[in-house]
Amino acid sequence: PIELEFCPVLGEKKQKAWVYKKVHEEVGKSFQLTKELLLRVCLLKIKEDEHVLIVVMHHLISDGWSLDIFFQEWSELYANYEDKSKRLIELPIQYADYVIWQREWLAQGELEKQLSYWREELSGIPELLSLPTDKVRPKELSYKGGIYSFE
């Protein structure tokens, strides 16, 4: 489901701030993996003929390859919105095909080969890697990152 929000009547500068605030709110929401879709779409209506589309997806359902396809198809649909006869070209390979190939490959003994290889490679490593830190590690992690720019 696409969520639709209407922008309050604001000056251009305040309008941009409102849009940025909405984008940050959407991006900042965590996904409840067991309760909701892993894709959120929000359409902000700025003016009668001006909209901002916010698409937020969990990394579990996206990678570089799938994002290329997603945006290519979205652009095609948008460009051909008026022409309902135009259809997307069906992809020759779907994710389900990859899953089937992967299962077949693993069923042919590859799983045991891979497990054996990694058990050998990782044997004897320490269970916990203790690195020196400049701060005391918090009892409860926040998982909030930050951006630090420098030249």
Side-chain angles (χ1 to χ4, degrees), residues 12 14 20 29 54 81 86 102 106 140:
E12 192 173 328
K14 285 186 178 179
Y20 282 115
K29 288 181 196 171
I54 304 169
Y81 176 74
K86 296 236 179 175
Q102 187 76 14
L106 292 173
E140 195 170 311

Side-chain angles (χ1 to χ4, degrees), residues 89-107:
I89 298 169
E90 189 170 328
L91 297 173
I93 300 171
Q94 300 289 326
Y95 184 73
D97 297 319
Y98 171 76
V99 171
I100 291 167
W101 298 333
Q102 187 76 14
R103 284 186 181 161
E104 288 172 354
W105 181 66
L106 292 173

Side-chain angles (χ1 to χ4, degrees), residues 111-121:
L111 178 60
E112 277 311 312
K113 279 194 234 174
Q114 291 291 321
L115 287 173
S116 176
Y117 171 81
W118 286 109
R119 282 186 186 119
E120 178 67 29
E121 286 294 309

Side-chain angles (χ1 to χ4, degrees), residues 24 34 41 43 75 78 102 104 107 112 116 119 122 131-132 136:
H24 286 283
T34 59
V41 180
L43 183 64
S75 297
Y78 185 76
Q102 187 76 14
E104 288 172 354
E112 277 311 312
S116 176
R119 282 186 186 119
L122 299 173
L131 297 173
V136 177

